Amino acid sequence: ALAAQGEVAMLDTDANSAVVCSRDGAVLFRVPQRGGAYRLENPVDIAFDVLGYLYILDRSNGSVVIFSPAGAYLLAFTLPENAPGAFRRASAVALDSMGRLLIADDRASGILVFQ
């Protein structure tokens, strides 16, 4: 994923983690597989919002884990599996210019929109 500020985020699916680099290739921060309040089990997509916050979509957990531009963990957005709008077979994440979270879900056969 490419941030508006020029940073690049890449998933390491073998290690279930991510790395964010500057436009010249210097590593800014790494997102480990586990943190105090989250665990990445099967990250499948990654995106930035317009402010540089990093969103990692985890298909196994049905969650989106959010990090600050400096790499600090902020929160994990998850809905219970049986809840309306739950995404259990998500394949892609994006954010639009209005800040809405868009998740492509194979089970829903469409795009879920969260405001």
Side-chain angles (χ1 to χ4, degrees):
L2 179 63
Q5 298 80 3
E7 295 85 3
V8 178
M10 299 162 280
L11 286 176
D12 180 349
T13 54
D14 292 334
N16 293 330
S17 64
V19 63
V20 177
C21 298
S22 66
R23 69 180 76 196
D24 64 359
V27 174
L28 298 174
F29 65 89
R30 295 181 187 277
V31 174
Q33 178 185 20
R34 294 180 185 164
Y38 75 90
R39 179 178 177 169
L40 298 173
E41 293 182 15
N42 184 17
V44 294
D45 200 15
I46 195 166
F48 285 104
D49 68 12
V50 296
L51 299 175
Y53 288 81
L54 180 68
Y55 294 69
I56 300 176
L57 176 64
D58 190 303
R59 188 174 191 155
S60 292
N61 293 331
S63 65
V64 176
V65 184
I66 305 168
F67 297 87
S68 76
Y73 165 78
L74 296 177
L75 65 98
F77 172 70
T78 306
L79 293 173
E81 186 173 345
N82 296 331
F87 45 96
R88 295 305 296 172
R89 289 182 35 214
S91 56
V93 64
L95 291 110
D96 68 12
S97 61
M98 300 298 291
R100 291 178 291 215
L101 181 65
L102 310 170
I103 298 174
D105 187 86
D106 296 340
R107 184 178 73 177
S109 298
I111 306 293
L112 304 171
V113 181
F114 300 92
Q115 294 190 32

